Amino acid sequence: MCNTCGCNITPGNRKHAYTPVAGTTAVSVLQNLLAKNDDQAAHNRAHFDQHGVLTINLMSAPGSGKTTLLEATIETLKDAFRIGVIEGDLATENDAARIRAKGVPAHQITTGSACHLDAHMVHEALHHFPLEGLDFLFIENVGNLVCPASFDLGQHRNVTLLSVTEGDDKPAKYPVMFRAADCVLLTKCDLLPLLEDFDPARAEGYVRNLANDAPVLRLSARNGQGLNAWFDWLRQTRAQQQARLAAGGTTRPKARPEGAPLNETPA
Amino acid sequence: MHELSVCQALLAQVAAVARAHDAQGVRAVRLRVGPLSGVEVSLLKQAYPVASAGTLAESSELLIELAPIRVKCETCGAESEAQPNRLLCARCGDDHTRLMSGDELMLMSVELVI
Ligand SMILES: Nc1nc2c(ncn2[C@@H]2O[C@H](COP(=O)(O)OP(=O)(O)OP(=O)(O)O)[C@@H](O)[C@H]2O)c(=O)[nH]1
Ligand SMILES: [Zn+2]
Ligand SMILES: [Zn+2]
Ligand SMILES: [Zn+2]
Ligand SMILES: [Zn+2]
């Protein structure tokens, strides 16, 4: 986007661009408010692509089971893939310690009480976190169904968790978050027999109402049910990204434009 | 809630525009915000006077135009208005739609005192 020559004024938005008022000069800008974050995210993505690592952003309400799912994922995949984790639990080192106990490198972003991660925090974390040789980088975002969806971190895919204890209408109440999901995981499904009012099909229906055709997987990290479909999704998503990288392309989460070229060299 | 940090990003952009035009001050800042941007307009309006205090944009007016949610159907081609949690085609009801408008978080223009 160029803000000086006016090339980002399209027929669709031109009518909004100019509103002169007596005594002042109206200057048209037409820039996304999060442009700086988005630039940093593109830079992060170039780092990931340079190292051939697939980066996945995990988002959910607090306590939906992100760290537990990562533990189970590492357990099964660590012999076949090299995995790294960036943790966004800003107040404690607990989650990173749980991941390290599984024998996988983990970096905890500790910036106090922020309610979401942004691209600058992730870039800073990359200085402490070598990407060399990694196959998967998981970023566990701050437990919050609102803010994290607005900030691109440079990830290739968004995964949103919804635990069955939260209620099946969450996708209707948090459309921004669930629209951003490339894969939705209904977690803690071992508890479904106790929670008659959570209907997985209804939860999926609310996701479809957001024009989102992402897979909606039902699983439990506690008893292991449904985990194989999640592992298959991870393997398949990684294979697809490897093919894109080989062809000189990359990918971004679905709610954002697709197919950006690898034209950026990270500093 | 991140409306304060969004405000700070906004004010950095406004300051850059004001500097580039050697402006004496900022009279108004115009945004276009969609319901699917993830930003709450009322919170943004609350945060703005706090974030702009002591800057060139102090006591400037924040004018927010709400962008409608519009989707285009990939099945029947119709374009229609939609609700934040119901982005279906109004003509055929299909859920294969593309968002045409509604997730904007745009700084449209700045009115400067030169
Ligand atoms: N019954 C059941 N409990 C689970 C499952 N997965 C996680 N839990 C429990 O849910 C609680 C929260 O799990 P975490 O993995 O820490 O959740 P989180 O999303 O990482 O939490 P934050 O990082 O604090 O947002 C813990 O008590 C887990 O033992 C599951 O599949 N079934
Ligand atoms: Zn956690
Ligand atoms: Zn860098
Ligand atoms: Zn936030
Ligand atoms: Zn249609």
Side-chain angles (χ1 to χ4, degrees), chain B residues 23-41:
Chain B
Q24 307 293 305
V26 177
R27 177 119 351 133
V29 170
R30 290 179 182 273
L31 305 183
R32 187 171 160 86
V33 178
L36 290 171
S37 67
V39 163
E40 210 45 69
V41 166

Side-chain angles (χ1 to χ4, degrees), chain A residues 43 47 123 267:
Chain A
H43 174 91
H47 276 300
H123 187 254

Side-chain angles (χ1 to χ4, degrees), chain B residues 73 76 89 92:
Chain B
C73 180
C76 80
C89 172
C92 76

Side-chain angles (χ1 to χ4, degrees), chain A residues 16-17 19 21 24-33 115-116 147 150-151 172 175 179 208-211, chain B residues 1-2 9 13 21 27 32 37 65 84-87 95 97 99 103 105-112 114:
Chain A
H16 309 292
T19 324
V21 160
T24 64
T25 307
V27 178
S28 166
V29 184
L30 294 182
Q31 192 180 35
N32 191 297
L33 294 196
C115 46
H116 60 267
C147 313
S150 296
F151 293 85
R179 204 173 78 83
R208 302 292 169 245
N209 283 348
L210 304 175
Chain B
M1 280 306 143
H2 55 276
Q13 288 176 4
H21 289 81
R27 177 119 351 133
R32 187 171 160 86
S37 67
E65 177 195 1
N85 56 14
R86 230 181 136 72
L87 302 172
D95 58 14
T97 61
L99 192 73
D103 63 350
L105 187 54
M106 276 273 199
L107 172 55
M108 302 307 290
S109 64
V110 181
E111 282 164 31
L112 299 174
I114 307 274

Side-chain angles (χ1 to χ4, degrees), chain A residues 66-67 87 89 95 98 140:
Chain A
K66 299 180 292 299
T67 311
E87 283 290 345
D89 181 356
D95 283 357
R98 283 167 63 184
E140 182 182 330

Side-chain angles (χ1 to χ4, degrees), chain A residues 43 46 50 262-267:
Chain A
H43 174 91
Q50 201 177 38
L262 279 176
N263 54 7
E264 234 189 316
T265 325

Side-chain angles (χ1 to χ4, degrees), chain A residues 195-231:
Chain A
L195 298 157
E196 293 126 41
D197 53 347
F198 189 101
D199 179 355
R202 198 158 50 208
E204 182 167 343
Y206 285 127
V207 174
R208 302 292 169 245
N209 283 348
L210 304 175
N212 188 347
D213 61 1
V216 177
L217 308 179
R218 306 170 190 188
L219 51 82
S220 162
R222 179 66 53 85
N223 69 13
Q225 75 179 90
L227 285 180
N228 281 333
W230 159 241
F231 300 146

